[in-house]
Amino acid sequence: MWTLSGFIDEISDDLREQCEVAAGLGLRYAEVRSAWGTNILDLDDGQLRTLRETLAEYGLSASSIGSPIGKISIDDEFAPHLERMRHAIEVADTLGAPYIRLFSFFIPTGTDPDSRREEVLSRMSALAEAAASSDVILLHENEKEIYGDNPRRCLDIVTSVGSPKLQLAWDPANFVQVGVRPFTEGYKMLRPHVGYIQIKDALLADGSVVVAGAGDGEVVETMRALRADGFDGFFSLEPHLGDTSSTGAFSGPDLFTQAWKAFTDILNSEGIEYA
């Protein structure tokens, strides 16, 4: 039984509308990235309590904190960011989230990412160490323009850091947007380290994001392989079908529902049970 989740702030800035639509689709989990137009790490204690209570009211639990950790330049000061990581762990604990999504730092344009490898690995090791005494697992997402944008460097991060607290989030659309065919070029290499799946797809021709199965992200092939491998984790809808805001991509209720339908249609056609 696979477990569906989703970046519900793509539905609306309003938390209650986020929860209403998500619960109406049958979701029992949510990836929490922002509420009321504010990033999850910038909510105050009262807002976090309201967030936790509202999720519970709609029968939702947090699958992951969609944090912006690691989404700064490799040249930016790290110490304040490490403190922000510690706060992210506190937020995850408050919401009972088992995972925190993070990134491996933007590399300046025109710079060979491999030339910044040691700095990246030092920072990623420090982030993993910050989580060492907690219950959370950190998930590195393969975002474009960061060090870990392709399968080779994603593997480098997770194996070089070598921490049980650091796994990979698999995002097929982001791989496509850097010219990678995810399943063909990355699945076998990365599968032992993948702990979480993000569901969005994209076209190699221009990088535009489309619903699952409509692009070059090899979503169907990946789902078949994950089932054969016995993967039993979260599949988080991240449609990215609308505009981008300061808190992340936005889809709205209708496009979020279309993304949910496209993915669940794939699962249904493959005979894969989900909840």
Side-chain angles (χ1 to χ4, degrees):
M1 181 73 72
W2 288 358
T3 305
L4 303 192
S5 182
F7 286 77
I8 61 173
D9 63 345
E10 289 210 21
I11 295 168
S12 171
D13 280 345
D14 180 72
L15 176 63
R16 191 162 290 276
E17 185 178 6
Q18 293 177 19
C19 294
E20 183 176 344
V21 172
L25 294 174
L27 297 183
R28 296 183 294 115
Y29 288 87
E31 183 135 2
V32 187
R33 181 174 54 190
S34 69
W36 309 290
T38 302
N39 185 271
I40 182 66
L41 300 190
D42 296 321
L43 298 176
D44 61 33
D45 290 344
Q47 289 172 314
L48 284 173
R49 281 195 302 273
T50 299
L51 172 57
R52 183 181 60 201
E53 292 165 0
T54 305
L55 288 172
E57 180 184 342
Y58 284 89
L60 294 165
S61 300
S63 63
S64 178
I65 301 301
S67 88
I69 298 298
K71 250 189 174 181
I72 60 171
S73 171
I74 191 63
D75 292 326
D76 289 341
E77 187 179 359
F78 181 58
H81 209 60
L82 184 57
E83 284 303 308
R84 195 157 168 80
M85 174 79 257
R86 296 189 178 106
H87 176 58
I89 294 168
E90 294 172 351
V91 171
D93 182 63
T94 296
L95 297 180
Y99 295 102
I100 298 174
R101 184 269 315 257
L102 45 62
F103 304 89
S104 56
F105 306 96
F106 290 117
I107 305 301
T109 302
T111 301
D112 178 4
D114 290 324
S115 71
R116 312 306 293 270
R117 176 178 182 271
E118 294 305 318
E119 296 163 81
V120 169
L121 294 181
S122 174
R123 291 184 175 198
M124 296 302 293
S125 295
L127 294 175
E129 179 60 29
S133 61
S134 74
D135 293 328
V136 299
I137 298 294
L138 308 182
L139 297 166
H140 173 268
E141 178 182 338
N142 52 292
E143 177 66 86
K144 54 187 175 295
E145 300 175 2
I146 64 172
Y147 177 81
D149 61 347
N150 65 25
R152 176 179 64 82
R153 286 193 288 266
C154 286
L155 183 65
D156 182 30
I157 291 168
V158 73
T159 56
S160 296
V161 172
S163 169
K165 288 295 182 178
L166 180 63
Q167 297 179 6
L168 300 177
W170 175 274
D171 189 310
N174 288 353
F175 277 138
V176 169
Q177 290 176 334
V178 297
V180 171
R181 292 189 177 276
F183 180 76
T184 301
E185 300 176 48
Y187 184 86
K188 184 176 181 181
M189 178 193 309
L190 299 181
R191 173 64 185 92
H193 309 286
V194 172
Y196 198 93
I197 310 297
Q198 294 180 188
I199 301 299
K200 67 177 186 281
D201 205 346
L203 301 174
L204 276 168
D206 60 6
S208 59
V209 177
V210 294
V211 297
D216 297 302
E218 302 179 312
V219 173
V220 173
E221 294 93 329
T222 304
M223 296 307 109
R224 290 172 179 166
L226 287 168
R227 176 174 58 182
D229 288 347
F231 183 86
D232 186 25
F234 288 107
F235 294 78
S236 186
L237 297 164
E238 190 184 11
H240 275 35
L241 297 174
D243 297 328
T244 299
S245 71
S246 60
T247 56
F250 184 79
S251 296
D254 291 342
L255 291 175
F256 190 93
T257 299
Q258 287 181 30
W260 170 86
K261 185 177 186 306
F263 183 55
T264 55
D265 281 350
I266 290 172
L267 299 184
N268 290 333
S269 68
E270 294 294 321
I272 297 172
E273 294 186 346
Y274 60 90

